Every structure is written in structure tokens, then in C-alpha cells.
Amino acid sequence: MTSLFVRLSLPLLLLFAASPGWAASISGRVASTQGSALEHVEVSVVQEDRSVFTGPQGEFEIADCQLPCLLLVRHPRFVEQVLELTEAPADALVVEMEAKQAVFERIDVTAAGGGGAASFAPLSVASTEIRVDEKAAPPTTLTELVEGVAGVAENGQPGLFQVYAIRGVSRHRVLTLIDGMQITGERRAGVATSFVDPLLMGAVDVLRGPASTYYGSGALGGVVQVFPKVFDGFELHTGWMGFADENYQAVGWGEDGWSLGFVRRDASDDEVADGSPQNTHFTQYSASLLKTWQRGDKTYEVLLMPSLGDDIGKPNTDFPDDRITNYPEEQHLLMKLGVRSDKGWSFHAYAHPNTLETEVLRPGSRINVIDNEAFDLGAHWQKEWSFGRSTTGRYGVDYFGRRGVSADEFERRFESGETSLLETLDGAEQDELAAFGSVRWSLGAATLQAGGRATWHQQSNTGFESQDDSAFTAFLGLVRPVGAGIELVANVGTGLRFPTLSERFFSGTTGRGGVIGNPNLDPEESTNLDVGLRWFGKRTYVAVQVFQLDVDDYIERIEIEPDLLTFVNLVSGTIEGFEIEGFHQLNDTWRLTWSGHILDGEDDDGGPLADISADRLQLGLRYDGERWGGNLQWQLRDAKDDPGSGEVALESANVVSASLSYEVSPGLDLVLRGRNLLDEVYLSSADDKSSAAPGRSVGLGLTWNR
């Protein structure tokens, strides 16, 4: 309607504005209806055919505009406006723009709201924000939550500790953050972050592509950042799923800057779709305590997130005859103190003591118990600056360290009764210190951003020489509206990953078999180039991205002999891909969504790289009525006939999930949900020890808000 009005009224307004008058200089600010400053909004003087573009704070200035002055304000994501000024405004103009779709206000804006490391990533990088409270049913793990985003898929063995791949890169090559805190661990498969229950997550940002310049080592494939849920009022959640009798109970409360949440989740053993028994039992307790307050020009935040996992089973093809892997106990405590100043600087420091006990039973042969312990800590400081209206930037320092990293292994052989104790990680330490900076230019309609990071890295372990590494990474990004609601985005960047302490120094037993560390590993490096288009329509959003990722000195896990592995800088290779995501708003209550990717990865000799997920397309249909709600998702997974090292071929699969919700009374919602409704037999990843995914499962959930 607004666009039709503009087309009909513009000729008449132009005719009126053609008569001579006084000239005036006009300045102002453009913001969304939610108050967010809008950058590179085009403000045109229609009768003179000249334009200016808003700066990083939404500011603009037009000199010598002939009165009456006719301004056309437009941006790809927002409804364009026409302003007629018959006299010079006494104060700066404030122009509010309405988003074509409410979700458009969140695109390109991280859930962090502008503070900390989260807001360092440039607008050109492909990213997707997930609001957990918009899910009809909470998933069990973070992997289940992010799986289905374009370019993202499950990887490794299933279960509570399953990890994810981003653009065909997985394990320690993707970085997981919780509110700016780096999460790492000694599992060779990577960090699952399963100790934070999804019911304690408010939003999740999925950034795709190398991000080492913004976030440090380990972000070759991308970053998944979790932001804790801030409870408002009182909430109760309970639910049950048929598979493994999984059930959860949660309570949350928030008021006057306080937020407190607690979740218990439990599951038992069950059978998967092909009838094989699975080691899926676990009990987990998670909590969050958040306090924010303001004093003067500073905002303070304290965050505590404790977690306890008890008797966690690992499902795979080894169970139950060859090897039974359990994690008797997992403990985490995240502690963070942050401060953000209105003067443009922010700082946070955090600590993360954590332990993990692993029990590997070889029936009739032996049992191995591995105790892992570590104390992780970090700090981040950054300062924003500006130079004129068109140039802004940031600079800062990052530190991440590990202390007291240990891995004690106890072994008992049943036949002889012999026991042994091995300490392969004995007081190991790690330090990573980096300085970073970025500059952002508003060049007319375009926004250009560039930056770099210099990193020094050191690792040590008792009985080994310390290892020192250093590296430099950089990026260059571009965002430019090209008309008709379309934005062009382009990005080139480098990434790096230093070897983990376990890859270099750990030798012992894992759930996959024996492992021998390699202290002579070199860091992995990557170069990424991607180009994309985003179309913001009145009812439709479409984003496509093509990319190429070149990786050097890929650290690969190879088998020396049956059940014995080590790590080497095996190959260099290239990953190419295409991603698509978007939605179409059919009407006020129905929305159609889509996402998918095509990936291909080869080493320099033409062989397949590991961790490249099968091509997939996901379609969703969502209904949001006054009291009823529904969500239907169909995911088509293509076959994968070129498995990499440690992988098997995959057959195609159709996976259908659905949920139906009903508001019983104000604040009380009942949800019926189902997973794998076609009872498809398929593997969630190509890992050669991956067991079949759970078959058809239905469940109920109840939520009460006050």
C-alpha cells in the first residue's frame, strides 16, 4: 500500500516542489520502529536527483535543499517513505522506518545487542539467528537446534555428545561460544556443548565461514554462539518424548535484572529405527543465574551456569558387543563478569572449571576409565572509535588460557586382574593472546569492512617440549544494495586453527579406540571467498550464497592399525558449496520456510575430504493462530557415495517432523510433537561408527507462563 501511494503521489509532489523557494540544510537520523539505528539508508532529494546515505548511527546531512524539499527514504529491508519539508526543521529529523517483515530487523544484527566479541563480525558474513522460544518444541541438544540451518549438519557419532559441521568443516574447526566465552574440551570428536540445556538458551547465532579474525583459533568453518535466556516473570516447562522415555522439567524466573533457570532432563536406553539397541541413557541438570545492573554510564553483568551430567551413554555401532562407552560424570561451571560503557568500550572475563569421566568397557577383556580435568579462563576487551561520519572501527585484545589440564587413565584387565595407571596429559597448559582491529567505511550505498588479528599461541605438557606458534588472519567484506530490495554481499577471509592439547599430547583410550598424540603438528590454515545475494520482499525473503574454502595442513585422524589412531597434517583441500535460505509469508498466520545446501570437498589428489555432509533441502510450514499453532518440517537428505576417511556411504532419506500447539488458557500451552514420522531408517552422519537415527517418536509438552 505504501509503495502504491508513493508512485501515485510522487508526480504531484514533484510538480509542487518545482516552484522556487528558500534553500535549507537538513540533518537527521534514521532508525527502525524498534529504535535500532539504520545504516546505509538512502535519503534522496527527489527534485534534484541527488542522494546521501546514513552512517553507522543512522545519521545523515543534506546541504542546500530547495524548499519545499521532497525526500525519498529507502532501504532494501524497510518500507520506503516520502517526506515533504515546506520549511527548515528546527531540530534534527528523526525518521522511523517500518520493516517489510519483523524478522528483517534481526537480519545482520547479532543477538548480543552490540556488546562483546559477538558484534565484531562484519555484515557481509553469512549468518542465521535462531530464537529458541520460537521453536514449537525444545530439542535435546544444541546440535539438534542448529541442524537444518543452511550449511549446517550433524557430524560424528549420535547421542548427547554429537557435534555439528558447518560448510563441511567440523570437530575443533568450528568454534562454540556461550555469551562470548570460548568452550573447548578434550574429546577428540569436538565440543558438543551438550551441558547447556536448550531451555536455558535464549538465542543462537550461526556464523558460516572462517571467523578466526573475529573470534580466534578454531573458527575455520564458522561459529555457533549461544546467548543465555533472560527469564521475565515465572515459567514452568515439562515434557516427554516416546524415544528413550526422554523427559524434562524446567523452571525459570526473572525480575528487576535478575534471571534464574533450572532444567532436569533424563532418558533411558532404547532401540533405533533398524531395531538395534542403543546406549542412550543420561540424566542431566543445568542452571543459569544472570544479574545485570547499571551504574552511571556503565552496564554490569554477572553470569553463572553450572551443569552436572550423570551416567551418560554413548550410542554407536560398537554397542553392546564390541565396546560400551559411558560417561559416568560430567561437570561444568561457567562464570563471567562483564562491563559495557556508554563511551564505547567493553570488557569481560570468565572462568570455566570442567571435568569429564569416560568409561570404556571391552566385554570379557578390560575396562578403561579416563578422568579429564581442566580450568579454562579468558578475557576480552574492545574499544569502538569513529572518524567523521563515514568511518568507524574497533580494536582490542583477547586472551584464552587453560590450566591444570590432565588426563589420568586407569586400566584393569579381567583375565589377569592386572591394573595400570597412565598420565598422558599431566598439568598441561595453553595460552593464546591476540590483538585485533577492524575498520568500517560507509561509501555511499556500500559498506566496506576490513580487519586483522595477530595471535600468539603456546602449549606445554609434562615430559614434552613446549610448542610456540603465531599467525595472522585478515578479512575484507562488502555489503551493497543494488535496487529492487536486493543486497549484494561479498567476503574474503583467512582462518586458522592451532592443534589441541589432546591432538599433540594425549595418548590413551577413547570411545573410538586407542589414540597416540603427535606433538609435531602444524596449525591448520584456510582461505575463504563467498558471494551472495539477499532479496527483501514485502512477503518474501531469499538469500543465496556460493563459497570456496581452501584448507592447508588439514589435521586428520588416521588409523595406524585396527583400533589405534593418530593425527597428522595429512592433506590440503578445497570445499565448495551453495546455500539457500528464506521464507514466504502466505498471510498473517501461515509462513513457508526453506533452507538447504550443496557441498563438495576434495583433497589435492582428488580424494574426498571427511566431514562433508550430504546435500539436503528443508521445507517448513508454520501456522501461528490466536490459540492454535503448528509446525511441519520435511527434510530431504541426498545420498552420499563418496565417504572420506573414517566414513561410510549414506543413502537418501526423507525426514518429517511436526508439532501442534494449543493455548489451553492464557499462559498455559499444550504441545503435541512427532519426530521422524515416516519411520525412516537412516544415518544422521557418515561417521563409520554412527548408528541408525531414532525411529518414529511422539511426545507431549506443557508450558506455563505467568
Side-chain angles (χ1 to χ4, degrees), residues 29-280:
R29 178 178 180 270
V30 181
S32 70
T33 55
Q34 302 299 314
S36 300
L38 299 181
E39 186 180 2
H40 57 70
V41 175
E42 183 179 8
V43 183
S44 303
V45 182
V46 179
Q47 63 265 41
E48 299 178 21
D49 193 24
R50 60 186 174 104
S51 300
V52 297
F53 294 86
T54 58
Q57 304 303 319
E59 73 280 8
F60 70 91
E61 186 173 346
I62 298 174
D64 299 326
C65 185
Q66 195 78 20
L67 296 176
C69 183
L70 190 65
L71 302 181
L72 177 61
V73 186
R74 54 189 174 184
H75 186 281
R77 288 183 277 141
F78 295 83
V79 179
E80 61 187 30
Q81 291 189 40
V82 173
L83 303 176
E84 182 191 2
L85 303 177
T86 57
E87 59 183 21
D91 300 311
L93 287 177
V94 177
V95 182
E96 287 192 352
M97 300 193 75
E98 179 184 0
K100 296 176 182 176
Q101 289 285 330
V103 70
F104 288 173
E105 290 208 50
R106 303 207 310 252
I107 293 175
D108 288 336
V109 180
T110 69
S119 56
F120 186 50
L123 303 182
S124 56
V125 175
S127 62
T128 301
E129 183 191 77
I130 303 170
R131 296 291 179 107
V132 180
D133 57 5
E134 294 178 356
K135 295 288 183 180
T140 302
T141 65
L142 176 62
T143 298
E144 287 184 21
L145 183 63
V146 300
E147 178 274 322
V149 172
V152 183
E154 309 97 318
N155 197 63
Q157 299 172 41
L160 195 66
F161 286 161
Q162 185 167 35
V163 297
Y164 41 80
I166 301 178
R167 290 187 169 181
V169 178
S170 187
R171 294 178 257 182
H172 293 285
R173 301 181 186 100
V174 295
L175 192 62
T176 301
L177 303 174
I178 298 179
D179 200 22
M181 296 178 283
Q182 180 175 331
I183 307 301
T184 189
E186 297 314 310
R187 294 185 64 248
R188 272 52 61 184
V191 181
T193 321
S194 57
F195 61 89
V196 178
D197 195 280
L199 285 169
L200 297 177
M201 302 177 186
V204 177
D205 281 352
V206 182
L207 187 150
R208 309 189 294 276
S212 299
T213 299
Y214 342 120
Y215 298 103
S217 171
L220 262 70
V223 175
V224 171
Q225 177 148 214
V226 176
F227 297 95
K229 181 174 182 178
V230 179
F231 290 93
D232 184 14
F234 190 73
E235 296 184 22
L236 285 175
H237 303 263
T238 187
W240 168 86
M241 283 298 296
F243 178 76
D245 274 332
E246 182 182 330
N247 61 91
Y248 63 87
Q249 303 82 38
V251 59
W253 169 85
E255 186 177 320
D256 296 331
W258 288 93
S259 176
L260 175 65
F262 174 80
V263 184
R264 177 191 179 273
R265 194 178 290 265
D266 179 83
S268 56
D269 291 338
D270 208 331
E271 294 182 351
V272 290
D274 63 1
S276 59
Q278 287 300 292
N279 192 26
T280 53

Side-chain angles (χ1 to χ4, degrees), residues 402-430:
R402 310 197 72 199
R403 292 293 182 270
V405 183
S406 63
D408 300 333
E409 180 174 351
F410 170 82
E411 179 182 273
R412 181 166 66 89
R413 294 184 176 271
F414 299 139
E415 185 173 340
S416 64
E418 294 180 355
T419 62
S420 61
L421 180 64
L422 180 66
E423 295 180 343
T424 57
L425 290 178
D426 183 10
E429 295 184 354
Q430 175 178 313

